[in-house]
Amino acid sequence: AYMDSGELKGIEVENAREVARIMGRTVEFVEMPLVKFVPSLEIDRVDVVMSGFTVTAERSESVDFVDPFMLIGQMAIVRTRDVVDLSHPDAMYKPGLRIAVQPDTTGQAFADKEYKKALIQNFPDNERAFNALRKNISDVYLHDAPTSWGLWKDGANKDLFSLARPLTEEGLAWAVRKGNRWLLQELNNALAEIRASGKLLEIQNRWIPAADPLPVTN
């Protein structure tokens, strides 16, 4: 999900509206950083987290997840001029490689575990991580697939490029308060309906681009 001219758009926005239609409910979108997702569920500020939330064992201790609606993975975003040098799988293991991540994300957890010889840098949001790439503070930004798809849709980011090969496989799912079995079942029923009708795939195809070709470099 992202803001465009004052309007929220994206896969999860459409998912939410379609699920609400099936359930006969209205939707109120509440924007907040990732670190507030679980606390906001726990204090009843929101009913559902629908924001590209990755299923993890740790998170499952605090929330109940609906069945995953999509499988994605972490991807590497680099400067377009560096694609040739960094597109080889071994390049990510180069000692001293500066890898930007968002704290408390599955991207950070993967980088800490996998790239022991890299310098892991924390940035609170995409904009600051992109700026770190542009200013040569970082070499790679590791984030999930929707961020990479966003580069394709935003012409302002032509100087950055996503290496489309997923580095992990992760399930995205909606989350509810622990023990809220009624809402969990209602959401699973709605998900099954939009999947069976083809609406889920239609929404995904509208927002997920085909893999970009490698850019031409001089």
Side-chain angles (χ1 to χ4, degrees):
Y2 67 97
M3 189 67 73
D4 182 15
S5 301
E7 180 184 0
L8 275 172
K9 296 182 179 180
I11 290 177
E12 289 284 52
V13 175
E14 290 201 40
N15 285 343
R17 288 178 175 145
E18 189 64 22
V19 165
R21 182 190 65 79
I22 291 171
M23 296 174 64
R25 299 295 190 95
T26 58
V27 175
E28 177 187 355
F29 292 109
V30 182
E31 293 184 87
M32 63 182 63
L34 182 147
V35 294
K36 292 186 177 181
F37 285 177
V38 174
S40 294
L41 282 174
E42 291 174 339
I43 65 174
D44 204 21
R45 184 185 179 197
V46 298
D47 300 300
V48 189
V49 168
M50 298 179 71
S51 187
F53 207 33
T54 307
V55 179
T56 68
E58 182 180 0
R59 289 172 179 168
S60 295
E61 294 177 359
S62 302
V63 302
D64 285 335
F65 280 105
V66 178
D67 295 336
F69 69 90
M70 184 189 298
L71 290 178
I72 64 161
Q74 297 293 313
M75 293 183 180
I77 297 171
V78 302
R79 289 178 291 273
T80 302
R81 67 176 184 266
D82 294 336
V83 167
V84 173
D85 292 334
L86 294 176
S87 59
H88 192 280
D90 289 345
M92 293 291 292
Y93 293 91
K94 180 181 177 181
L97 189 72
R98 300 167 299 175
I99 301 179
V101 297
Q102 278 194 38
D104 301 317
T105 62
T106 52
Q108 181 194 33
F110 175 74
D112 287 343
K113 178 181 178 181
E114 187 71 13
Y115 304 122
K116 301 290 189 182
K117 297 180 180 179
L119 173 62
I120 308 301
Q121 305 168 318
N122 287 322
F123 295 94
D125 52 50
N126 290 338
E127 182 178 355
R128 295 185 203 188
F130 290 166
N131 286 337
L133 284 174
R134 293 186 172 108
K135 294 178 180 179
N136 199 30
I137 296 170
S138 304
D139 301 307
V140 177
Y141 179 34
L142 194 64
H143 210 261
D144 55 27
T147 298
S148 295
W149 303 331
L151 291 177
W152 173 81
K153 299 183 75 67
D154 188 350
N157 290 319
K158 293 294 186 181
D159 57 333
L160 303 179
F161 190 84
S162 171
L163 304 179
R165 181 184 66 256
L167 301 171
T168 63
E169 185 176 279
E170 305 168 9
L172 294 185
W174 312 323
V176 301
R177 281 184 297 282
K178 198 73 175 174
N180 193 345
R181 296 181 180 178
W182 177 86
L183 184 55
L184 183 70
Q185 187 59 56
E186 287 291 303
L187 288 167
N188 270 321
N189 291 343
L191 174 60
E193 183 171 333
I194 63 174
R195 178 175 279 128
S197 69
K199 187 66 177 180
L200 183 67
L201 184 59
E202 177 187 326
I203 292 171
Q204 292 175 3
N205 286 341
R206 187 156 50 245
W207 290 99
I208 301 173
D212 288 340
L214 287 175
V216 176
T217 56
N218 294 325

